Amino acid sequence: MTALWTSAELRAATNGALAADGTISGVSIDSRSVTPGDLFIALRDQRDGHDFVADALARGALLAMVDHTPPGAVDTAKLLRVANTLAGLTALGAAGRARALARVVGVTGSVGKTTTKEMLRVAFSAFGATHASAASHNNHWGVPLTLARLPRDAAFAVIEMGMNNRGEIAPLSRLSRPDIGIITSIGTAHIGQLGSQAAIAAEKGDIISGIAPGGTAILPADSAFLPELMARARGAGLHVMTHGEAEGADARLVAYQASATGGVAEITLDGQCLTLHLAAPGRHVAQNACAVLAAVKALGLAPDIAAHALRDFTAGAGRGAMHRIRVAGGDALLIDDSYNASVASVCAGLAVLAAQPAKRRIFVFGDMLELGTEGPAQHAALAEDARKICDLVFCCGPLSRHLFQALPAAQRGGHFPDSSALAAALPAALKPGDAVLVKGSLGSRMSVIIKELTAGEQVS
């Protein structure tokens, strides 16, 4: 068992009380995913994690962090007692960062955070052991959990930081203390909470507040807010690099040739020309690669080695993964981009759909949420791209109706109240040779449709 934390270290990090001695090998907040040797942390969310302490210990957790006595029969010697479990997790994350030898890269942005994080994981793994956030663990518990899991011998760590409201990025960045901070883009996601794109830029820019002295801020060259972001970074004494397609960007995408299953990108990086062969389709993936290569360069590593490593990057579930699925009479292509949605990411997904050699291109779309009063207009604005690319569009949710009604009648596949209703009707509408893009905000539950379409045997 690899030692992650000893009992003495847990006590010191959390100021907690613990009778047992031992060494844990992992940290879990979900009793269902506990593996032998873990520390289980009883957080409160929709349910109280204390209700699952007994189950976690039965599954092999060595210890459990609690702030009150849990129900059921448990060995009290195995309870790490703290004043508050979320604060305890945060303290453990801070201790994990403080002892780390790893060079840390933080990632935020309106779109592309998780894709960029996963590309960084692949790129840095070519140089040494790399630790990165699991899934989209990018919030007030996800970031400290990632840091608490950071192996002491990791060479690199990649920390994703997300937000829903103003004031959330700064504490995550200060906790992570990245050597490199990346802002992928400034879009309109969460504009309903923040009120304006300028406020979003200010919030994303708060990653600068936590970057280690002498570190580097990697900023989006294509953003109208670049001057303000550069001024903040330089005012903090940081080095600045830019990424994107704008002329003068330090890491610049100068050409991109798309294919159905990937693409070839030409990127210039401080005068060096790099060719990337990408197995994940979409110009947006090549744009994210610019930020990745800038980070590699900023850490003094070889960009050509990273560019070669990125051949192995593929899109993950819910983020553009492709499957052949069974439909009546044959098979179809499913593009699973269901995890989340914003105007920019929908347009990127539609571009991937357009590149598919399909008999029909079908867009299955759920509401983009947290847009406030701009929601109706932003949904309707997608009609221009949808008209050019799609043969049929199926929608669910009240906001998506604004897109649906802006389409010609021949392109309207159907509008449904929610994803469950759409999932029940969609399979009968699909034909062999179709390419189907599924996209929508997490709260629109488009994963229900993915589960329905992949319930039968997949071709691949």
Side-chain angles (χ1 to χ4, degrees):
M1 181 175 68
T2 302
L4 183 61
W5 295 98
T6 66
S7 295
E9 289 169 334
L10 292 173
R11 294 186 194 100
T14 65
N15 196 29
L18 173 65
D21 286 316
T23 300
I24 66 161
S25 55
V27 179
S28 175
I29 60 171
D30 185 340
S31 64
R32 297 167 297 182
S33 64
V34 162
T35 58
D38 278 355
L39 166 69
F40 173 71
I41 301 179
L43 298 178
R44 295 175 185 81
D45 191 25
Q46 295 178 349
R47 301 185 68 177
D48 187 345
H50 291 78
D51 295 340
F52 302 94
V53 169
D55 180 55
L57 294 173
R59 291 173 182 262
L62 187 67
L63 303 170
M65 183 191 293
V66 300
D67 55 33
H68 64 264
T69 301
V74 299
D75 183 349
T76 56
K78 294 184 176 182
L79 300 182
L80 172 61
R81 296 180 182 272
V82 297
N84 176 276
T85 50
L86 179 58
L89 171 60
T90 302
L92 190 61
R97 177 62 184 97
R99 75 178 185 185
L101 300 176
R103 306 175 83 176
V104 177
V105 179
V107 183
T108 192
S110 294
V111 294
K113 292 186 295 297
T114 301
T115 298
T116 301
K117 178 255 296 182
E118 290 301 325
M119 295 180 80
L120 286 163
R121 185 203 299 268
V122 171
F124 285 130
S125 292
F127 303 98
T130 301
H131 175 71
S133 309
S136 289
H137 290 175
N138 60 22
N139 62 2
H140 64 289
W141 58 260
V143 169
L145 179 62
T146 301
L147 293 170
R149 290 171 168 172
L150 176 57
R152 32 181 111 231
D153 60 350
F156 304 96
V158 187
I159 313 297
E160 181 181 339
M161 304 176 204
M163 63 86 185
N164 291 302
N165 296 284
R166 191 73 177 98
E168 294 179 351
I169 293 294
L172 300 180
S173 186
R174 290 174 185 142
L175 181 66
S176 303
R177 287 191 296 110
D179 301 290
I180 308 289
I182 297 173
I183 301 176
T184 60
S185 61
I186 306 295
T188 56
H190 310 298
I191 199 168
Q193 279 83 352
L194 276 78
S196 69
Q197 200 168 7
I200 293 170
E203 175 66 13
K204 299 300 184 184
D206 280 353
I207 194 174
I208 291 167
S209 67
I211 298 175
T216 301
I218 299 176
L219 307 174
D222 305 310
S223 174
F225 298 97
L226 178 63
E228 293 97 316
L229 294 170
M230 290 182 73
R232 286 186 67 176
R234 287 174 174 159
L238 302 177
H239 302 288
V240 174
M241 296 183 72
T242 57
H243 68 94
E245 298 190 54
E247 188 172 351
D250 295 299
R252 185 185 179 202
L253 179 63
V254 295
Y256 178 72
Q257 183 177 351
S259 70
T261 58
V264 179
E266 299 291 336
I267 294 174
T268 57
L269 181 60
D270 286 344
Q272 181 182 10
C273 187
L274 299 163
T275 300
L276 276 75
H277 296 267
L278 297 166
R283 191 180 193 93
H284 61 291
V285 177
Q287 292 167 337
N288 293 333
C290 293
V292 172
L293 294 177
V296 169
K297 179 80 171 181
L299 290 180
L301 304 171
D304 56 334
I305 293 176
H308 187 268
L310 287 172
R311 289 171 178 258
D312 295 329
F313 171 76
T314 57
R319 302 187 183 278
M322 294 186 176
H323 309 282
R324 302 301 305 187
I325 57 170
R326 301 281 186 194
V327 298
D331 62 84
L333 174 69
L334 173 63
I335 306 171
D336 175 10
D337 205 2
S338 61
Y339 183 78
N340 223 330
S342 64
V343 170
S345 68
V346 169
C347 292
L350 287 171
V352 173
L353 180 63
Q356 305 309 311
K359 292 182 179 179
R360 298 188 306 172
R361 296 176 180 87
I362 297 176
F363 182 30
V364 181
F365 179 53
D367 287 354
M368 300 182 295
L369 304 177
E370 300 182 359
L371 296 176
T373 58
E374 295 194 17
Q378 291 202 19
H379 284 75
L382 296 172
E384 182 178 357
D385 278 2
R387 278 194 296 267
K388 296 175 183 177
I389 294 167
C390 306
D391 295 286
L392 283 176
V393 177
F394 293 85
C395 295
C396 62
L399 286 168
S400 69
R401 185 175 289 279
H402 296 280
L403 165 62
F404 191 75
Q405 292 177 335
L407 296 171
Q411 287 180 292
R412 297 180 188 173
H415 182 274
F416 298 82
D418 54 40
S419 60
S420 295
L422 177 49
L426 184 61
L430 302 183
K431 297 179 180 179
D434 286 346
V436 184
L437 169 67
V438 180
K439 188 78 175 160
S441 283
L442 183 62
S444 294
R445 300 179 64 245
M446 302 306 284
S447 60
V448 172
I449 294 170
I450 300 298
K451 289 177 182 177
E452 176 66 30
L453 296 180
T454 58
E457 181 184 0
Q458 291 183 20
V459 178
S460 63

